[in-house]
Amino acid sequence: MTGPQEAATRVVHLRRGGTSVVLRLDPEVLPCVLHWGSDLGDVRASELDGLLLAARLPESDSVMYRQEAVSILPQHSTGWLGRPGLLGSRDGTAWSVAFEHVTHRVDEAGTDGWPDGPDGAARLVSIGTDHACKLLVTTELRLLASGLVALRATVTNEGADRYEVNHLEPALPVPDAAQELLDMTGAHAHERVPQRHRFEAGQWMREAWGGRPGHDSATVLCAGTEGFGFRRGTVWGVHLGWSGNQVLSAERHTAGWRLLRGGERLLPDEGTIAPGTSYSSPWLYGSWGRGLDEFSARFHEYLRARPQHPTSPRPVVLNTWEAVYFDHDLPKLLELAEAAAALGVERFVLDDGWFHARRDDTAGLGDWHVDEDVWPDGLNPLVDRVHALGMEFGLWVEPEMVNLDSDLARAHPDWVLQTEHGPGLPARHQHVLDLGNPDAFAHVVDLISGLVKQYGVAYLKWDHNRPLVDAGHARTGRPSVHAQTAATYRMMAELKDRHDGLEIESCCAGGGRLDLGIMEYADRVWVSDCIDAHELHRLLRWTGLTLPRELLGTHVGAPTDHTTGRRLSLDFRAGSALFGHFGVEWDLTAAESGELDQLRTWIDRYKQERTLLHTGTVVNADLDVPGLELTGVVARDRGEALYRLSALEHTVTTPPGRLHLPGLDPDRLYLVTSAATPHAPDGVGVRPTMPWAREGVRMTGRLLEQVGVQAPALPVDALVLIRATAI
């Protein structure tokens, strides 16, 4: 089909980015996905009709036990006995939705972009009319240019009284071959720990009730063939682009269907819609791939194609938190800025502790003006010097939060989110400011905007340290998590509108909020409050399932890590941080001269490599040796690649076998050499230990991936870099 038109056939085939989506369209039912995955090529209309016939089930005495078609918003009224996609009521009535008719509109022109972004998406919009319940239910499925699927549903109230949506959860089916589930768990400073189990009958549900996805966020929920990995098996998975309460679930029903679904977790009354208004679910993103690398590449390609995606070289950052904490002393910070500039740092970020009464984390939050006792001349002496040294200036803020011990909370106690029992438990001695209150919103956005203008702030590190529990409007008592999430989006957007070029980092006590909803406004995420390089390997690999490396903040910390107490070499710390958006979080004024020289070399290397690292395709090898990790980035034209081999555990296999370098052009010849760490002692760098690395070896991409090269023997928490260059 070409161009927008009323869907006249019973089956449509959408193709983009190596993905096919085949949908069954019926006049009284919302669309049903018959295939989502590998590109089927040019399929004739007669073949699509044949596919519909081929999918027919054996006859049964009840459609309830033989569900031939389950829509992308499953409903009990069609005989579906699983979890309904829409559940709501009009004061206890109109709770069973059934459609008199459904219209389907297919648009393959992509003229209106996605969303407000690059053209090229194929779109199917279906509208179901339920006259008895006085509802319109709309589903919108977009197949993006990258092959990523985006799906949402909207309920419109056409009645004369209010309608309450309890939940609205679109679903994407996966085939019977999907036998294994993968998602993630974790905790503060220990995020994104993968977990797997069988896709058994029933539901596997991952919920977030803290007003953010959370440090234990599932991030993605994947279903794949047995033992799928980064380069093997086939996988399908979903991610929810929403920064508030949410749910992802996998449902295997005895009727034979396997569904991946997601939506917002609505608190009482949050889904209530007045006559003539609507509620829309967040976008549910679906990807598939032959292995997780291809699955994640679709997310990366989509994000990189957005007009707001950062395209300038990602600057080397120095953040002051683990260097000085709350001890803001101007001479010390000036010395730190001088040391940073001498190493080639390009962005200097002043972290928590600069504002009124903020000598620790118990007070001052919400009072967004410079502490005159610590900064009698304002931030100007530091900012002016930072700018004179050729660096951008960045500032830590936490606009959504407030200490009760603050001038703001004392003046406006009704601006604090709370219930009839008060503001509830503190976390890090703080509570949540009600940004859904227009006065509170205007107060905060004007203060932050004034700081950005006054000090030429190029970058805001935007933190979020307290979950949203007992989060109600003080004046009405009604829940406010949904309104708070939407207000946060609006505030970020308004600050960017007021200040052209302003960048925002989403920091949520580290990595608690890095979904695609917040990434509509953020330019970087703080992956974790833990910057231990050993932990960073896991964090980068699994955060990278949705976000490309240029969005992932990775810093070189002190020799002894602040969070874990683990002591690691500088080469290991810097080589680990190299594969993200590189920065430093270390008191450089206390470092030895040799360490500074070594760090300068790594900063120079990052600047040489960042174009490749931040535009290329991320690849990960499925190694059979426990404790070894091989990751890399291959240029889009596959003319070069940089790989990192790391030993994260002691291995009994010495030497550990061959390295199979993934992602190269199978028919091109490559020169493979070590890019050994310049300060690594003998036995750690690959160059002195491997014969092929001393002079380089010439092999085709096919041989490098299928046969490989011998891996070096490495001690624990050591790494080597390997470069492949097309000849």
Side-chain angles (χ1 to χ4, degrees):
M1 294 183 175
T2 57
Q5 61 179 38
E6 289 296 324
T9 62
R10 291 176 58 82
V11 180
V12 297
H13 178 203
L14 307 179
R15 297 175 64 198
R16 292 289 189 278
T19 297
S20 281
V21 180
V22 179
L23 300 113
R24 169 175 168 165
L25 307 182
D26 290 300
E28 297 178 356
V29 181
L30 291 169
C32 171
V33 175
L34 300 179
H35 169 82
W36 162 45
S38 58
D39 188 353
L40 301 177
D42 291 321
V43 181
R44 294 188 294 270
S46 60
E47 293 177 291
L48 291 176
D49 292 338
L51 190 153
L52 188 63
L53 178 62
R56 294 291 301 271
L57 295 175
E59 291 186 6
S60 171
D61 61 352
S62 174
V63 69
M64 297 183 187
Y65 304 113
R66 289 283 194 275
Q67 280 284 296
E68 188 168 280
V70 176
S71 80
I72 55 180
L73 197 67
Q75 289 303 307
H76 278 173
S77 59
T78 66
W80 172 247
L81 298 180
R83 182 177 176 84
L86 166 61
L87 190 62
S89 75
R90 197 182 301 279
D91 193 24
T93 66
W95 53 268
S96 179
V97 178
F99 304 116
E100 284 83 13
H101 60 86
V102 177
T103 62
H104 306 281
R105 180 179 178 88
V106 180
D107 176 7
E108 290 222 62
T111 54
D112 58 352
W114 158 252
D116 300 323
D119 294 344
R123 182 175 65 168
L124 169 66
V125 178
S126 302
I127 302 175
T129 302
D130 184 337
H131 292 298
C133 290
K134 298 181 176 60
L135 295 176
L136 286 183
V137 179
T138 303
T139 60
E140 182 175 0
L141 184 146
R142 297 202 182 198
L143 179 57
L144 311 181
S146 68
L148 199 66
V149 173
L151 176 62
R152 71 175 175 183
T154 300
V155 178
T156 301
N157 180 8
E158 296 202 313
D161 49 0
R162 292 155 63 89
Y163 185 87
E164 183 174 7
V165 177
N166 299 122
H167 74 246
L168 187 61
E169 299 172 10
L172 286 168
V174 295
D176 294 343
Q179 295 284 336
E180 188 175 347
L181 295 177
L182 164 73
D183 61 353
M184 281 169 262
T185 184
H188 174 239
H190 194 68
E191 297 88 348
R192 277 167 298 291
V193 178
Q195 57 182 7
R196 293 176 182 254
H197 59 270
R198 296 280 300 174
F199 197 166
E200 303 287 3
Q203 278 197 328
W204 173 254
M205 185 175 293
R206 297 297 312 281
E207 296 179 304
W209 286 98
R212 58 194 192 182
H215 300 94
D216 61 344
S217 170
T219 307
V220 296
L221 180 53
C222 295
T225 54
E226 191 77 32
F228 68 89
F230 285 92
R231 310 293 296 182
R232 63 181 178 231
T234 307
V235 60
W236 299 261
V238 294
H239 165 87
L240 192 71
W242 179 246
S243 308
N245 291 343
Q246 61 169 257
V247 60
L248 290 175
S249 66
E251 181 175 10
R252 181 178 173 183
H253 198 270
T254 53
W257 287 82
R258 301 166 192 243
L259 303 178
L260 300 179
R261 57 203 306 170
E264 181 181 9
R265 269 286 177 252
L266 293 164
L267 291 170
D269 197 51
E270 284 192 321
T272 299
I273 48 179
T277 64
S278 302
Y279 167 77
S280 294
S281 69
W283 287 103
L284 181 69
Y285 295 88
S287 185
W288 80 281
R290 298 174 186 88
L292 289 167
D293 278 352
E294 187 177 1
F295 167 90
S296 64
R298 302 189 195 283
F299 281 99
H300 297 180
E301 185 177 343
Y302 158 64
L303 289 166
R304 286 172 171 173
R306 301 170 306 152
Q308 73 268 37
H309 191 75
T311 55
S312 60
R314 298 293 77 208
V316 179
V317 175
L318 183 132
N319 191 71
T320 65
W321 178 245
E322 290 196 16
V324 301
Y325 301 101
F326 288 107
D327 186 13
H328 282 204
D329 174 71
L330 179 58
K332 171 78 170 186
L333 288 166
L334 289 173
E335 185 183 1
L336 186 60
E338 298 279 353
L343 296 180
V345 169
E346 298 160 309
R347 175 182 284 164
F348 186 95
V349 181
L350 184 66
D351 210 290
D352 195 358
W354 56 269
F355 49 94
H356 176 63
R358 190 66 167 179
R359 303 283 54 81
D360 55 32
D361 62 2
T362 64
L365 199 61
D367 296 341
W368 300 113
H369 54 92
V370 177
D371 192 316
E372 295 178 355
D373 293 335
V374 179
W375 301 90
D377 298 315
L379 299 179
N380 298 95
L382 176 63
V383 173
D384 291 347
R385 187 58 187 150
V386 165
H387 287 156
L389 290 167
M391 295 185 291
E392 295 178 351
F393 181 71
L395 197 62
W396 181 94
V397 292
E398 197 170 6
E400 301 158 75
M401 300 292 160
V402 62
N403 289 127
L404 297 186
D405 184 3
S406 66
D407 292 344
L408 178 66
R410 284 185 286 270
H412 300 284
D414 59 327
W415 287 7
V416 180
L417 288 177
Q418 54 196 283
T419 67
E420 297 85 347
H421 308 290
L425 297 171
R428 205 191 182 206
H429 309 287
Q430 66 190 56
H431 291 79
V432 184
L433 193 66
D434 183 1
L435 296 185
N437 181 317
D439 295 332
F441 182 98
H443 175 83
V444 174
V445 77
D446 287 344
L447 285 178
I448 301 298
S449 180
L451 289 163
V452 172
K453 181 178 180 180
Q454 179 179 357
Y455 294 114
V457 174
Y459 177 83
L460 292 175
K461 179 181 178 182
W462 188 301
D463 216 336
H464 182 287
N465 279 297
R466 183 192 184 271
L468 273 63
V469 297
D470 284 344
H473 290 288
R475 295 172 182 172
T476 67
R478 296 184 182 280
S480 189
V481 173
H482 176 91
Q484 184 79 1
T485 306
T488 299
Y489 291 164
R490 290 198 310 274
M491 183 174 286
M492 288 184 171
E494 182 163 340
L495 285 167
K496 288 194 151 196
D497 286 343
R498 292 189 190 185
H499 305 283
D500 187 42
L502 176 68
E503 293 193 2
I504 294 175
E505 173 187 289
S506 176
C507 174
C508 182
R513 186 168 66 179
L514 37 70
D515 58 277
L516 266 62
I518 205 73
M519 295 317 298
E520 286 297 307
Y521 311 95
D523 306 280
R524 185 186 200 247
V525 301
W526 188 223
V527 177
S528 176
D529 275 349
C530 176
I531 60 174
D532 180 315
H534 181 99
E535 301 290 318
L536 185 57
H537 281 70
R538 180 193 73 256
L539 290 162
L540 270 181
R541 171 168 277 197
W542 296 103
T543 308
L545 284 190
T546 54
L547 302 183
R549 296 292 173 85
E550 63 269 23
L551 300 181
L552 307 182
T554 54
H555 289 184
V556 179
T560 300
D561 183 72
H562 160 90
T563 305
T564 66
R566 189 183 276 123
R567 189 169 180 85
L568 299 165
S569 73
L570 179 50
D571 276 326
F572 186 71
R573 282 145 46 215
S576 303
L578 181 70
F579 281 72
H581 180 180
F582 190 91
V584 180
E585 196 149 340
W586 177 15
D587 184 2
L588 300 177
T589 67
E592 298 178 357
S593 60
E595 291 177 313
L596 295 177
D597 290 340
Q598 194 173 349
L599 181 57
R600 184 184 295 108
T601 302
W602 276 106
I603 289 174
D604 289 343
R605 168 164 279 170
Y606 167 75
K607 292 178 179 179
Q608 294 165 6
E609 306 287 2
R610 61 185 164 189
T611 298
L612 168 62
L613 294 172
H614 296 165
T615 63
T617 301
V618 176
V619 294
N620 296 277
D622 294 308
L623 299 183
D624 294 324
V625 179
L628 282 186
E629 180 184 293
L630 180 68
T631 190
V633 179
V634 181
R636 292 182 67 86
D637 66 359
R638 295 197 283 185
E640 63 173 330
L642 184 67
Y643 299 92
R644 183 188 68 203
L645 176 70
S646 304
L648 304 176
E649 299 176 19
H650 181 67
T651 176
V652 297
T653 306
T654 304
R658 292 177 181 170
L659 297 177
H660 301 271
L661 304 183
L664 300 172
D665 186 330
D667 297 318
R668 294 175 79 174
L669 187 65
Y670 292 87
L671 174 64
V672 180
T673 60
S674 79
T677 56
H679 299 86
D682 289 351
V684 177
V686 66
R687 188 178 299 280
T689 62
M690 298 309 305
W692 64 263
R694 297 192 186 104
E695 299 178 4
V697 63
R698 289 166 173 78
M699 299 172 67
T700 64
R702 181 175 288 102
L703 288 176
L704 287 167
E705 182 159 16
Q706 299 298 323
V707 180
V709 297
Q710 176 60 50
L714 296 173
V716 177
D717 289 335
L719 60 83
V720 293
L721 304 178
I722 301 168
R723 181 178 299 284
T725 306
I727 301 173

